[in-house]
Amino acid sequence: MTSKEYKTITDIKGPLVFLEKTEPVAYGEIVTIRLSDGSMKNGQVLDTSDDAVIVQVFEGTEAIDRQAGVKFLGDVFKLPVSRDLVGRILDGAGRPRDGGPDIVAEEKADIIGAAINPYSRQSPHDFIQTGVSAIDCCTTLVRGQKLPIFSASGLPHNDIALQIARQAKLKDSDEEFIVVFCAMGITAEEYNFFRTDLERTGALENAVLFVNLADDPAVERLITPRLALTAAEYLAFEHDYHVLVIYTDMTNYCDSLRQIGAAREEVPGRRGYPGYMYTDLAMLYERAGIVKGKKGSITQFPILTMPGDDITHPIPDLSGYITEGQIVISRELHQAGIYPPINVLPSLSRLMGGCIGEKTTRDDHKKVSDQMYAAYAEGRELRGLVAIVGEDALNERDLQLLKFSDIFEDKFLRQDRDEDRTIDETLDLCWNLMSSIDEKYLVRLDRELIDKYGQHTE
Amino acid sequence: MSNNEGVIYRISGPVVTATGIDARMYEVVRVGHEKLMGEVIEIHGEQSVIQVYEDTSGIRPGEPVLSTGQTLSVQLGPGLLTSIYDGIQRPLQTLEEVMGVFITRGVDADGLDLEKKWDFVATASAGDEVVGGQIIGTVQETETITHKIMVPPKASGTIKNIDSGEFTVTETVCTLDDGTEIQMMQEWPVRHPRPYTQKYAPDTPLVTGMRILDFLFPLAKGGAAGIPGPFGSGKTVTQQSLAKYSDAQLVVYIGCGERGNEMTEVLDEFPGLIDPNTGKPLMNRTVMIANTSNMPVAAREASVYTGITIAEYFRDQGYDVALMADSTSRWAEAMREISSRLEEMPGEEGYPAYLSSRLAEFYERAGRVETLNGDDGSVTVIGAVSPPGGDISEPVSQGTLRIVKVFWGLDAGLARKRHFPAINWLNSYSLYPQSLNQWFRDNIASDFPEVRTEISALLKVEAELQEIVQLVGSDALPIDQQLTLEVARMIREYFLQQNGFDPVDAYSGVEQQYAMAKAILTFQDEAKKAMAAGARLQDVVNVPARTELMRARFAEGYLESIGGLVDDMVGEITGTVEAN
Ligand SMILES: Nc1ncnc2c1ncn2[C@@H]1O[C@H](COP(=O)(O)OP(=O)(O)O)[C@@H](O)[C@H]1O
Ligand SMILES: [Mg+2]
C-alpha cells in the first residue's frame, strides 16, 4: 500500500508530534517520519480524530521540523516472527543488530498482545530448581511465574539473574529454557556482561536478544519489551519452548512512560508517573504463564532498580502488585560481603505453595521454610534490641534466635556464584542450621518431621 | 427523529468520541466496523463520549457507531452459578470456545445459556395475585442452591397461566392477566441497585472460620468490610479464604484488575473443595467475575457493578450472599484512567472528584434487607484495597474507611515475619460487636464477649510492654509481666496465626475459637497460681503439654481433643511447683 505523505505538523513537543488534516488514521497505527535531510524516524499514533493526530516518536523528535513528511502505514506495530529468531540479536525496535539478515516472517504478530483468557490458563506448578538456596527454599520459582528481582544500583542483580539462567532446571529433568533477553536503557558494559556470559555457557545460540541501550532512543524502550514478549509468546505457544524472559531495567522503561505522560500533559499519578502505569505494566507482566493445550511456557524474570532503595517507590510498588512475588536484594547484606545478598524477609513467591511438597520437592519443604523465615525474622529483629541493651538482657530463646540469624546469613544465604545446590542439599542444610535452636522453640515444625529429619543431638 | 447511527470522531485509548448519534447516558453502543461494545459516559452537545470495553487499536475516525437503546445490563436467571465471567458478563468459557486462549475482540456472548432447558417447578398457581419479587417457581440449579424464579420487580397482577416443566430461560413460564409474560431470565441495569422493602440492622455474624476475624473483628451478614494492605500482605488469600469458608449461602467473587493466575487457581481449586457448612463442593455456590489487570479497563470499571447486581439478585431470593472484590483500588484506578481521558478536573491524586461518592454508592448496596417478597436476604461486601506503598492515607483507602464498619488492616511487617493472616490486631476494628454479642452469647458461650475483651486487653498490654522491652530487654521486667508476654505470645502464635493453606487449621469453627481462647486464659491462670507457689516461669512456659496443645490444632478433631490437652497442661504446670 502506498500511503500519502502529510506535511501538516502543527506542534512538536517532547517525544510527540501533532498533525492536523489527515485522512482517518487508526488508533495505534505505525508512522514513519521523513526529515528534511532524508533520514527516517518511526512512531505510533496515540490519539486520533478528524481534526488532529498525536504521534509518539520512538527515536525522539530531535531535528524534526514542521516540513517533515509523515506517512501512516495502515497497520499497528507488528513483529515478524519465525523460529529463526532463536540465536539472533535485534535492536530495541526489532531490527537486526548482529549484522545478520532480516527475519523472514512466518507470521506477523501484533506486539501489544492479547490478554490470556483467565479461564484458559493453567496454574503453574512445576518447581524450578535454581540451585540458589535462598530462592529454592524460601521463594521458590515456578515454571510460568513472573518473579522480578527488586534491586538497586550497585548491587549484583545481574550476577544473580545470570546464575539463575545458567542453573535453572526442573528437578530430575534436562529440559532447558531458552532465554529471551530484553535490555532497556542499560549500559553497554552491563549488556556485554550478559552477552559474554550467555556466550560462554553456550546459551546465546538458544537465545533471542532485544537490545535498547542507554544511548538508544528512550521512547523506543516502550516497545522493546513488547517485542521480546511477542517473540516469547510465539516460541512458547507456537513452538513449545519453555522460555525464560529476562528484562532489565524496568525502571528505565517506566521513566520513558513518564516522559510520554508529561509530554501529553496528563494528570500525573504518584511521583509523576502516569495513572495508568499499573495497567501498562500489567500488560507486560501478565504475558507470563502457561495456557491450556500448549506445551510451552513463559517465565518472566524482570529486573528493576528501586530508586533510592525504596520499595514503596511506584515502580517496585506497582510491579509487586502485579507480579507473583519478588526477590529483594539488600544493600546491607551486600555490604556485609554476602553473595547472593537476598533479603528473604520482604521476598516472596506467591506460587510456591502449589509447587512444593512431597511430590515435587520434599515433604518438609513448607514447614522448614516457614520455620527458617520465622526464626530469621525474629533473630534479625533482636539485633536492633541487642544494639541498645546488650546480649545480657536476652533470655535463652532470644539468644539462640539472635545467633541463628548470623548463621542463616553466613551458611544458608552465602554461596558461590557457580555453586549449584540441589533442593535436598538446601533442605538438609536448613535442618543442620536449625539444630542450633532448641527443639521447643521450633514451633512451626511438627513432631513427625523433627523425628524424620531433625539433627538435634541430645 | 432520533438517530441511532453516528460516526467516530476521536479515539484516545479506551475512550471514543462519536458524533451524529442521539444516545442517552449509560446507553450501550456498538463502536466501529467490529462492533466493539461501549457505553456512553458523557454527552457534550453533538458529541457522545463512549468508554469501550475492548481494545481500540486499529479503529479509525469515520467508522460507524450504533446505539442499541439499552443500558448496560446483566442477564439474571438459572445458569449464573459456577460461571466465570468477564467484567461485562461474557462467560469466559464461551469466549474460549470462540476465540481460543487469547481474548480478541468483537465477540458478543450471552451471560446465560439460552439453549439449556431447566426443570422449572411452579410454586404459584393460576389465580394467585402476585407482585414484583414474588417467587412463582424454583429450579434446582446446583446440588445446594435452589434458584427461585421471581416476578420481575416492576410487574404485578393475577396469574393466568403457569406451568411446571422443562424450559429455557427465555421461554415464558407464567402469564399474568394483563398479558405480561414472565420468563426465568430477567435483565437488570447494573448501575441501579435492585429494590427491596426495607433494610434491617445486622444481627448475625458472617462466620468466616478465621479466628482473628470472627473472634476479634467480626463482620455481620449484610455488613461491609475493607481489607487494605500493601502487596504481598494477604488480601487475596484472605478474600479467597472467605470465599471458601464463610457461612454465606452464595459467593460472588470479583477479580477486579488483578492477576490471571489467581482466578485460575480459584477455578482449579474450588470444584474440589468442600464447603464446611454444607459438605458439598464449593463451586456450587459460587459466581466468579474475572476482569484481570491486562483486560480492558472500561470492563474493569463495570465488573464491580456486574458482580453486585448478581449478588442482589440472589439476595432477593432470600439468600445470604457474600461478595468479595479484589481489588477495589483497581476499580478506582479504572475510573481515574477514564476520567483523565475525559480531561475531567482531577481531585486528590488524580482520582475523579466523584470517587468517594461512587465508593459509598457501591458499599451502600450491601445490607440485610426485607425483600420484596417479605423474605430476609443479605449482601455482605468485602473489598480489598491496594494502597500505593501501603500508605492508607490515600483517597481509595480513606474513601472506603469512611463507609465500612469493619477494617481488617493488613500489615507488611507481620507478613514479613510470616505471621498470617497478617492482620494488625492493634489498628483493625469492627463496629459490629455490640450488635452481634447476643448471637455469640446465645450460640457459643454466655461469656463470649468477656473472653474476647480479655484477649484483646492482653494484646494491648503486650504492645505497651514491648515498648519497654525495646529499651531494657525482657529479662528486666517483673516476673508477672514476663508471664503476660508469654501469654500474649501464645495468643499470637497459637490463636491469631492461622495458615490459610493448612488442610486443617485454615478453618476454625467459632466453638473451637472459643475453646482455644479459654485454653490460653487457663494457661495464664494456672501459671500465675504455680508461680505464686514458687514455680519458675521458664518451667511453666516450657511444659511439653503446652507445646502439644498448640501443635495439636493441625490435626483433625481438635475441638474434641482440646479439653484433654488442656487438662494435661494444667497437670504439668501444677507439677512444676513440686519440681522446685
Ligand atoms: N492467611 C495466610 N496463610 C498463609 N499464607 C498467607 C496468608 N496470607 C498471605 N499469605 C502468604 O502471603 C502471600 C501473599 O498473599 P496475597 O493474599 O496474595 O497478598 P496480596 O493480595 O495482599 O498481595 C501468599 O502467597 C502467601 O504466601
Ligand atoms: Mg492480591
Side-chain angles (χ1 to χ4, degrees):
Chain A
M1 169 173 144
T2 52
S3 58
K4 188 170 160 196
E5 186 174 277
Y6 293 93
K7 295 211 169 197
T8 54
I9 294 179
T10 54
D11 298 70
I12 304 170
K13 192 164 87 185
L16 304 181
V17 165
F18 299 71
L19 290 90
E20 58 177 17
K21 293 192 216 76
T22 60
E23 307 282 300
V25 166
Y27 177 69
E29 191 166 342
I30 290 303
V31 175
T32 58
I33 302 173
R34 197 173 45 80
L35 276 58
S36 43
D37 65 358
S39 63
M40 303 292 285
K41 289 185 186 244
N42 302 288
Q44 189 177 14
V45 174
L46 282 189
D47 197 317
T48 172
S49 74
D50 286 348
D51 304 324
V53 173
I54 305 176
V55 174
Q56 131 187 333
V57 184
F58 299 138
E59 294 87 353
T61 48
E62 191 184 3
I64 299 182
D65 58 20
R66 292 186 51 203
Q67 276 63 54
V70 180
K71 269 192 184 178
F72 298 92
L73 303 188
D75 205 352
V76 296
F77 206 118
K78 291 192 169 152
L79 176 73
V81 286
S82 103
R83 227 187 165 110
D84 299 340
L85 279 168
V86 177
R88 297 297 305 272
I89 303 178
L90 307 171
D91 73 6
R95 294 166 297 228
R97 190 192 159 102
D98 52 7
D102 283 347
I103 303 294
V104 180
E106 268 166 45
E107 61 185 79
K108 290 190 135 202
D110 182 349
I111 67 162
I112 301 298
I116 299 175
N117 185 335
Y119 183 79
S120 311
R121 281 181 183 268
Q122 271 195 326
S123 291
H125 48 66
D126 290 327
F127 165 66
I128 297 177
Q129 179 178 295
T130 66
V132 177
S133 289
I135 297 176
D136 290 349
C137 172
C138 304
T139 51
T140 316
L141 177 62
V142 187
R143 190 157 71 180
Q145 184 172 20
K146 38 189 179 290
L147 189 62
I149 298 185
F150 285 9
S151 188
S153 46
L155 298 180
H157 41 267
N158 293 340
D159 298 70
I160 297 171
L162 279 167
Q163 184 170 6
I164 291 166
R166 275 197 308 272
Q167 298 180 173
K169 56 178 160 300
L170 289 192
K171 199 187 170 197
D172 311 320
S173 151
D174 298 329
E175 230 175 331
E176 279 192 14
F177 286 98
I178 68 168
V179 173
V180 170
F181 177 78
C182 169
M184 295 169 284
I186 61 172
T187 62
E189 192 184 329
E190 272 180 289
Y191 164 60
N192 286 332
F193 180 75
F194 271 100
R195 211 200 45 208
T196 316
D197 197 86
L198 292 171
E199 219 160 17
R200 176 174 72 83
T201 58
L204 194 60
E205 287 164 36
N206 264 323
V208 194
L209 277 57
F210 290 86
V211 184
N212 168 290
L213 296 184
D215 55 358
D216 288 330
V219 178
E220 187 183 272
R221 272 163 221 162
L222 295 177
I223 55 171
T224 314
R226 296 189 159 78
L227 297 170
L229 289 165
T230 304
E233 276 169 2
Y234 174 78
L235 294 169
F237 302 137
E238 302 298 328
H239 289 288
D240 299 343
Y241 285 108
H242 293 294
V243 183
L244 181 64
V245 183
I246 301 178
Y247 41 133
T248 179
D249 179 338
M250 285 309 290
T251 304
N252 297 331
Y253 172 87
C254 293
D255 285 345
S256 294
L257 207 59
R258 176 164 67 174
Q259 205 186 326
I260 296 286
R264 293 188 72 182
E265 293 175 5
E266 290 165 347
V267 181
R270 269 175 85 223
R271 303 214 201 168
Y273 293 92
Y276 50 79
M277 191 157 90
Y278 173 83
T279 306
D280 189 279
L281 289 173
M283 310 253 309
L284 302 178
Y285 295 140
E286 278 288 320
R287 291 171 82 174
I290 307 179
V291 297
K292 280 187 204 160
K294 312 266 183 193
K295 290 212 188 85
S297 63
I298 298 179
T299 307
Q300 286 191 20
F301 225 67
I303 299 173
L304 60 85
T305 47
M306 301 183 279
D309 292 13
D310 177 8
I311 199 169
T312 69
H313 184 281
I315 297 172
D317 190 51
L318 295 180
S319 295
Y321 269 121
I322 306 164
T323 55
E324 285 148 350
Q326 65 278 338
I327 293 173
V328 181
I329 312 292
S330 144
R331 192 173 300 281
E332 192 191 329
L333 289 170
H334 178 65
Q335 282 166 349
I338 289 164
Y339 174 89
I342 295 172
N343 184 355
V344 300
L345 301 179
S347 299
L348 168 71
S349 165
R350 292 165 187 268
L351 302 185
M352 175 173 174
C355 99
I356 62 172
E358 195 170 354
K359 293 201 193 90
T360 48
T361 55
R362 219 167 77 176
D363 54 350
D364 57 333
H365 190 160
K366 171 101 195 57
K367 296 243 151 104
V368 165
S369 101
D370 278 354
Q371 183 64 70
M372 290 285 286
Y373 257 114
Y376 179 59
E378 253 194 274
R380 284 251 319 213
E381 211 170 69
L382 287 165
R383 282 186 196 165
L385 177 60
V386 167
I388 302 168
V389 299
E391 286 195 13
D392 294 347
L394 296 192
N395 60 30
E396 177 202 343
R397 177 178 177 277
D398 289 354
L399 263 179
Q400 290 186 7
L401 291 173
L402 178 70
K403 292 220 178 78
F404 176 77
S405 68
D406 293 330
I407 300 176
F408 183 97
E409 291 172 2
D410 189 43
K411 297 269 172 9
F412 175 75
L413 286 186
R414 190 196 296 281
Q415 67 186 84
D416 287 337
R417 281 173 168 72
D418 54 7
E419 187 179 348
D420 191 356
R421 296 183 190 154
T422 66
I423 184 66
D424 284 299
E425 285 167 352
T426 290
L427 293 173
D428 289 344
L429 176 64
C430 293
W431 283 101
N432 182 279
L433 303 179
M434 286 190 298
S435 68
S436 69
I437 304 174
D438 268 2
E439 218 182 270
K440 59 177 178 275
Y441 303 136
L442 300 174
V443 292
R444 305 212 175 204
L445 299 173
D446 55 41
R447 189 72 273 140
E448 252 172 76
L449 290 177
I450 295 177
D451 291 345
K452 186 162 169 193
Y453 296 104
Q455 300 183 13
H456 286 89
T457 43
E458 295 304 313
Chain B
M1 210 191 89
S2 86
N3 201 350
N4 64 2
E5 180 163 348
V7 291
I8 297 178
Y9 162 74
R10 176 182 177 194
I11 304 146
S12 174
V15 174
V16 165
T17 310
T19 55
I21 189 170
D22 294 325
R24 286 176 299 136
M25 275 298 270
Y26 299 120
E27 179 169 346
V28 171
V29 293
R30 299 285 168 180
V31 176
H33 296 306
E34 294 182 67
K35 297 200 166 41
L36 307 184
M37 188 168 164
E39 185 184 11
V40 175
I41 52 169
E42 209 173 271
I43 296 173
H44 291 296
E46 272 286 274
Q47 298 187 337
S48 308
V49 183
I50 299 158
Q51 63 175 356
V52 180
Y53 294 122
E54 297 174 82
D55 177 34
T56 53
S57 309
I59 312 292
R60 291 167 200 271
E63 290 190 29
V65 175
L66 295 174
S67 61
T68 64
Q70 285 168 336
T71 48
L72 186 67
S73 300
V74 283
Q75 298 180 338
L76 302 167
L80 288 167
L81 293 169
T82 75
S83 293
I84 178 164
Y85 295 112
D86 75 354
I88 48 174
Q89 211 207 5
R90 297 186 303 177
L92 291 177
Q93 188 173 355
T94 312
L95 296 189
E96 182 190 83
E97 283 155 16
V98 182
M99 309 169 175
V101 298
F102 290 100
I103 299 182
T104 51
R105 61 187 188 191
V107 175
D108 253 340
D110 284 298
L112 297 182
D113 184 341
L114 304 186
E115 310 292 318
K116 182 169 173 155
K117 296 261 187 190
W118 296 92
D119 193 7
F120 172 78
V121 180
T123 55
S125 351
D128 288 0
E129 288 277 345
V130 291
V131 295
Q134 198 151 331
I135 294 162
I136 53 167
T138 60
V139 166
Q140 192 65 39
E141 187 176 349
T142 64
E143 216 180 335
T144 36
I145 303 292
T146 308
H147 198 117
K148 298 172 190 159
I149 306 302
M150 297 173 289
V151 176
K154 285 167 195 150
S156 64
T158 308
I159 296 181
K160 190 163 107 197
N161 227 327
I162 183 163
D163 291 309
S164 295
E166 302 264 302
F167 295 96
T168 67
V169 292
T170 51
E171 284 168 342
T172 298
V173 293
C174 173
T175 320
L176 302 184
D177 261 353
D178 64 355
T180 306
E181 297 188 334
I182 299 174
Q183 296 87 25
M184 287 195 271
M185 183 171 92
Q186 302 186 4
E187 292 192 64
W188 191 264
V190 297
R191 295 182 197 278
H192 286 275
R194 285 175 61 90
Y196 50 83
T197 305
Q198 60 168 320
K199 264 195 187 177
Y200 293 127
D203 63 1
T204 310
L206 181 83
V207 173
T208 68
M210 291 169 78
R211 290 185 285 267
I212 186 164
L213 305 189
D214 294 339
F215 205 84
L216 295 184
F217 311 112
L219 171 59
K221 288 202 172 100
I227 317 183
F231 66 84
S233 57
K235 296 180 293 298
T236 304
V237 174
T238 306
Q239 295 266 40
Q240 291 187 358
S241 299
L242 292 169
K244 287 179 198 167
Y245 305 125
S246 72
D247 67 347
Q249 290 162 299
L250 251 125
V251 167
V252 177
Y253 193 95
I254 311 173
C256 175
E258 293 280 313
R259 302 178 183 86
N261 276 331
E262 288 175 346
M263 300 313 292
T264 314
E265 195 181 315
V266 175
L267 280 172
D268 283 353
E269 208 183 356
F270 275 37
L273 285 178
I274 298 299
D275 176 355
N277 304 293
T278 61
K280 295 286 169 8
L282 268 176
M283 207 59 196
N284 283 337
R285 66 163 195 185
T286 312
V287 182
M288 265 187 289
I289 293 166
N291 208 98
T292 57
S293 54
N294 55 339
M295 286 161 73
V297 286
R300 189 201 296 171
E301 192 272 335
S303 65
V304 296
Y305 296 104
T306 298
I308 198 138
T309 308
I310 293 173
E312 287 173 340
Y313 171 69
F314 282 107
R315 171 204 68 191
D316 293 346
Q317 297 175 37
Y319 286 115
D320 288 319
V321 186
L323 175 139
M324 290 101 209
D326 184 13
S327 160
T328 60
S329 294
R330 307 304 167 214
W331 163 47
E333 285 164 9
M335 279 189 244
R336 173 168 73 182
E337 206 167 318
I338 306 281
S339 157
S340 98
R341 302 269 184 183
L342 297 178
E343 286 155 25
E344 289 175 340
M345 178 72 117
E348 227 183 315
E349 295 195 14
Y351 285 104
Y354 46 79
L355 171 73
S356 57
S357 61
R358 292 277 166 90
L359 286 169
E361 283 160 20
F362 170 68
Y363 282 105
E364 215 22 54
R365 290 174 77 168
R368 199 181 132 229
V369 305
E370 179 187 346
T371 62
L372 293 183
N373 58 43
D375 205 345
D376 195 341
S378 66
V379 173
T380 311
V381 175
I382 302 125
V385 185
S386 314
D391 176 0
I392 62 162
S393 64
E394 55 89 39
V396 184
S397 302
Q398 289 303 311
T400 305
L401 292 181
R402 272 200 298 275
I403 314 157
V404 300
K405 292 210 169 120
V406 175
F407 166 60
W408 293 326
L410 289 164
D411 185 311
L414 290 172
R416 269 171 211 188
K417 286 187 213 157
R418 295 308 187 257
H419 173 109
F420 290 121
I423 294 168
N424 184 321
W425 53 89
L426 296 172
N427 69 9
S428 297
Y429 59 77
S430 162
L431 301 180
Y432 289 116
Q434 286 313 321
S435 8
L436 301 177
N437 276 348
Q438 199 53 47
W439 187 95
F440 284 113
R441 282 191 208 282
D442 293 347
N443 291 278
I444 308 297
S446 55
D447 65 343
F448 188 99
E450 288 71 32
V451 174
R452 170 171 52 217
T453 308
E454 217 170 323
I455 295 283
S456 18
L458 278 162
L459 289 166
K460 294 213 176 70
V461 172
E462 181 197 31
E464 287 159 21
L465 291 180
Q466 282 297 353
E467 282 179 20
I468 304 170
V469 170
Q470 290 308 310
L471 297 174
V472 298
S474 54
D475 274 9
L477 292 182
I479 202 77
D480 59 325
Q481 294 187 347
Q482 290 187 39
L483 172 66
T484 303
L485 286 181
E486 290 296 342
V487 174
R489 186 207 303 284
M490 188 170 177
I491 299 177
R492 284 187 284 113
E493 292 183 354
Y494 164 67
F495 189 81
L496 298 183
Q497 282 187 19
Q498 194 177 359
N499 192 309
F501 303 106
D502 188 278
V504 176
D505 196 42
Y507 177 83
S508 187
V510 187
E511 279 166 31
Q512 180 183 319
Q513 300 182 14
Y514 174 78
M516 289 171 73
K518 285 293 263 193
I520 295 168
L521 297 180
T522 304
F523 166 70
Q524 172 171 261
D525 293 345
E526 294 300 318
K528 273 187 189 156
K529 267 194 254 163
M531 285 159 61
R536 295 192 320 158
L537 174 66
Q538 281 306 311
D539 295 340
V540 169
V541 167
N542 288 331
V543 296
R546 190 175 75 112
T547 314
E548 287 316 312
L549 167 75
M550 288 165 65
R551 282 203 179 125
R553 72 184 190 278
F554 300 112
E556 300 277 358
Y558 191 50
L559 183 58
E560 288 75 50
S561 63
I562 188 167
L565 291 162
V566 171
D567 291 345
D568 293 349
M569 175 183 74
V570 172
E572 287 186 13
I573 293 176
T574 315
T576 58
V577 178
E578 284 130 38
N580 254 298

